[in-house]
Amino acid sequence: MALNIIKQGAEGRLYLGEFKGESCLIKERFVKQYRHPELDTQITRQRMKAEVKASSRCLSAGILAPRILHSDTNTHKLYMEYFGNAQTVKQFIQNTVKVESKSPSDEEQIKQTLIELSARIGCIIGQMHANNIIHGDLTTSNMLINPNPGAKNGYDVIFIDFGLSHYNQAAEDKGVDLYVLERALLSTHSEQDYIFGNILEAYRSECGKDEPAVLAKFEEVRARGRKRTMIG
């Protein structure tokens, strides 16, 4: 059956396909010619396994993530649950702020919408870290807004793309996860500079007993990052 490609990125291609009669998303990680073939195969398999494990751990913890329907390490393809009506959080934020003429009431409504969204994101990341799940690539492109009439405000937030994820209790890894997200937000949504603060506030309520250690490590990582930026 011919596969319908819907996106191609640096790491692979996404196709719309089918597995055992169910519509699904197929992620194919292609060969990186600049890598030694054995190393490329090893890295690809590690990332595929990481995605399968993280998705399973998230779902077991009550955190929404795509169900992995099938994993084929020979063809480097993952078959996963497809959310056909979803958009990325990045798209959602950009569409929300793109109101043609903004009155003060529009601005306030936009801010309240994004504050609600950021609080939900912070809670989910806190739950992930409380279960020692490190995402590894927290950006608004790796989170989905999926319509759900039964959910709060009519949508679910679903985390995706766990290829760089791992399982670790270390406060350092959790702090780095937060720092990666902060840098991504500053790069992509710099005008909505309140988003990360709201995420962090909600995160504190869910991340568990390691909160002080994680936030201390986050500040350390942030300080190191600023020092590197200053030095160049």
Side-chain angles (χ1 to χ4, degrees):
M1 182 181 71
L3 296 176
N4 179 25
I5 187 168
I6 58 176
K7 185 178 179 182
Q8 177 163 331
E11 290 296 320
R13 303 180 187 92
L14 293 178
Y15 302 93
L16 186 58
E18 189 176 286
F19 182 75
K20 293 186 177 180
E22 180 177 347
S23 294
C24 69
L25 195 67
I26 302 171
K27 179 189 283 189
E28 178 187 30
R29 292 185 178 272
F30 44 68
V31 174
K32 300 294 180 61
Q33 300 295 340
Y34 60 83
R35 287 188 191 134
H36 186 282
E38 289 183 11
L39 178 62
D40 184 68
T41 298
Q42 181 182 359
I43 290 173
T44 297
R45 287 182 175 176
Q46 284 176 347
R47 292 184 176 176
M48 289 180 68
K49 288 177 181 177
E51 191 140 13
V52 172
K53 287 180 180 178
S55 177
S56 176
R57 284 178 175 138
C58 282
L59 292 170
S60 294
I63 299 163
L64 294 178
R67 290 179 296 116
I68 305 298
L69 306 175
H70 179 63
S71 173
D72 189 335
T73 54
N74 293 319
T75 61
H76 302 162
K77 288 188 176 82
L78 279 179
Y79 297 72
M80 62 184 72
E81 185 176 4
Y82 176 55
F83 302 99
N85 297 318
Q87 61 180 314
T88 65
V89 167
K90 178 181 177 180
Q91 292 168 326
F92 180 85
I93 293 173
Q94 290 173 339
N95 291 337
T96 298
V97 301
K98 196 168 57 179
V99 177
E100 291 298 329
S101 102
K102 298 177 187 171
S103 66
S105 61
D106 288 333
E107 294 279 9
E108 184 59 30
Q109 182 57 51
I110 288 168
K111 187 170 184 178
Q112 287 304 314
T113 297
L114 297 185
I115 285 174
E116 154 63 19
L117 173 60
S118 56
R120 291 176 69 175
I121 290 170
C123 286
I124 295 168
I125 298 171
Q127 291 164 10
M128 287 171 61
H129 285 181
N131 286 278
N132 300 317
I133 301 165
I134 312 299
H135 186 280
D137 191 17
L138 286 173
T139 72
T140 52
S141 294
N142 289 336
M143 307 169 194
L144 298 180
I145 299 284
N146 191 49
N148 178 1
K152 186 177 181 182
N153 287 349
Y155 65 83
D156 291 320
V157 178
I158 301 168
F159 280 59
I160 61 171
D161 206 350
F162 289 90
L164 297 178
S165 67
H166 57 284
Y167 181 83
N168 201 316
Q169 298 180 12
E172 171 91 9
D173 287 34
K174 296 172 185 178
V176 170
D177 229 15
L178 293 173
Y179 179 68
V180 168
L181 177 59
E182 182 184 39
R183 298 304 301 172
L185 288 168
L186 287 172
S187 172
T188 311
H189 309 289
S190 57
E191 293 185 10
Q192 292 75 46
D193 55 4
Y194 53 86
I195 289 179
F196 184 72
N198 280 283
I199 288 175
L200 208 55
E201 184 177 344
Y203 173 87
R204 290 188 176 102
S205 69
E206 298 289 342
C207 69
K209 58 182 175 58
D210 293 335
E211 177 214 345
V214 172
L215 294 182
K217 284 296 182 183
F218 164 67
E219 292 295 345
E220 285 181 25
V221 173
R222 181 193 253 176
R224 293 200 300 265
R226 285 175 177 165
K227 186 175 181 180
R228 283 196 298 271
T229 302
M230 288 170 60
I231 294 172

